[in-house]
Amino acid sequence: MRDLDSQETYLADRMGLAFELRDLVGSGPVPQAAYAPPYGVVGYGEAWWAARLARDWIGAEFTERGTQFVLEGGYDLGQALSAGLYAGAGAEVVRLGYREEVEVQVAAHPLSPYRYLRFLLLATGQRAELERVDRALLLERERLRPEVGLDKNPAKFLAYSLLERTPLWVVPERYAGLAQAMQQTYARIGKSLSITPPPSGLEFFLTGLEARHEQGDPIAAVLLGDDERKRVSQEILESRVDTLIELPEPEAEGTLAKALCYWYRVAWASYYVALLYGVEPGDWEVLERLREAT
């Protein structure tokens, strides 16, 4: 088994994703103009989660006036190009993405959800919320970076726990879209499959693992939060999965900051999983071809 505390293991990271994980806070574009309210926001591809998170303070997908943000994250088969047509005639359409024609450039990248979200927070006057997010992410970074040994690094410990297992994300409903975002990041960086349950998760946990109950599927249930749903899920799953992993709540203020910290922790864990399998955690060329085709 590869050693995450050995420098040799990190030779697989030829694209230097560790540096981008380390330097994530504060990265990405900043608004160069003032954007008038009210706001609307839609997101596609890499940017869908940023748009979903922004609904907490931007209530509408589309607006008749003010500013319409269209987050073009790719892989949408042309949907993003026509999204601006649904905004009202009085709305300024601002497109963010990696295409040359957009107003705001955001490079295609596995960590781009943070960069889209950061721009939206700044563009809509939510600087205090962004400061809470960044402060919490910096605290997380100090525990997750490669220089921190396994005994004090929760992301490395999580990676070893997920090795040769399939994660099942068990996430409280208050963290909108987080389970799917972690699934997307684990695939993009860790190059590995994971499972996100449907909205009626308790029924899924009770029935979806029953047929192979005796064989014991190599599934690791990753549980977040500390609410009643999580406790019931744990009772159901403890006899149906290979192992239970509880992620402690981040030292963060507010639901948005906590959601980003959980995502960031899983991004680091995904990075370490890729290294344990000996594969490049950065983007492969095939993704560029997929973006061009869609």
Side-chain angles (χ1 to χ4, degrees):
M1 181 183 296
R2 293 176 176 86
D3 182 3
L4 291 175
D5 288 342
S6 170
Q7 290 186 355
E8 184 179 356
T9 302
Y10 293 84
L11 295 176
D13 182 16
R14 293 180 294 276
M15 296 183 182
L17 185 60
F19 298 111
E20 300 205 51
L21 280 162
R22 182 195 65 189
D23 299 334
L24 178 62
V25 172
S27 67
V30 297
Q32 300 299 311
Y35 299 108
Y39 306 109
V41 60
V42 288
Y44 301 89
E46 298 177 6
W48 73 268
W49 190 45
R52 179 63 188 83
L53 290 172
R55 300 275 166 70
D56 283 350
W57 74 92
I58 300 177
E61 286 189 300
F62 297 101
T63 182
E64 293 293 323
R65 53 192 177 85
T67 307
Q68 176 68 54
F69 295 104
V70 180
L71 314 185
E72 298 186 7
Y75 321 112
D76 59 85
L77 298 172
Q79 283 184 285
L81 292 175
S82 61
L85 300 176
Y86 294 98
E92 176 189 5
V93 178
V94 178
R95 297 180 179 275
L96 290 77
Y98 56 83
R99 293 188 306 109
E100 292 183 2
E101 299 84 355
V102 300
E103 285 76 25
V104 180
Q105 286 285 329
V106 181
H109 196 275
L111 302 177
S112 67
Y114 166 84
R115 293 164 182 154
Y116 282 107
L117 181 67
R118 178 174 183 266
F119 184 92
L120 289 176
L121 287 166
L122 291 171
T124 58
Q126 304 294 318
R127 184 174 292 273
E129 187 70 67
L130 176 60
E131 289 174 354
R132 285 190 287 270
V133 168
D134 284 350
R135 192 161 52 243
L137 289 178
L138 288 173
L139 284 174
E140 283 285 309
R141 184 185 69 179
E142 291 310 301
R143 301 185 302 146
L144 306 177
R145 53 196 174 86
E147 295 83 359
V148 180
L150 172 62
D151 58 331
K152 295 182 180 179
N153 191 320
K156 288 183 179 179
F157 181 82
L158 178 58
Y160 277 115
S161 301
L162 296 179
L163 196 61
E164 305 297 342
R165 295 183 174 121
T166 301
L168 171 63
W169 311 109
V170 183
V171 178
E173 292 181 352
R174 65 179 178 273
Y175 296 123
L178 177 57
Q180 293 91 336
M182 292 193 300
Q183 183 182 39
Q184 185 176 31
T185 299
Y186 191 70
R188 181 85 173 260
I189 299 176
K191 309 299 187 287
S192 299
L193 179 69
S194 62
I195 301 171
T196 297
S200 55
L202 296 180
E203 175 193 1
F204 174 81
F205 301 146
L206 189 63
T207 59
L209 303 172
E210 191 61 29
R212 293 178 52 84
H213 191 176
E214 297 301 324
Q215 287 91 337
D217 284 326
I219 293 174
V222 183
L223 299 104
L224 284 62
D226 190 26
D227 56 8
E228 183 63 22
R229 181 177 295 273
K230 180 250 187 178
R231 288 189 286 272
V232 175
S233 299
Q234 185 170 349
E235 289 182 14
I236 296 172
L237 289 169
E238 60 185 357
S239 64
R240 287 173 166 79
V241 298
D242 196 28
T243 188
L244 295 172
I245 304 169
E246 296 186 63
L247 297 190
E249 190 169 89
E251 297 178 29
E253 181 184 351
T255 301
L256 181 63
K258 289 179 181 178
L260 265 292
C261 283
Y262 278 128
W263 170 79
Y264 187 54
R265 194 182 303 171
V266 168
W268 271 109
S270 303
Y271 171 77
Y272 292 129
V273 164
L275 296 183
L276 288 174
Y277 286 126
V279 299
E280 166 64 61
D283 277 354
W284 292 357
E285 184 181 345
V286 67
L287 275 177
E288 177 64 28
R289 295 201 296 270
L290 179 61
R291 283 190 291 270
E292 291 174 356
T294 58

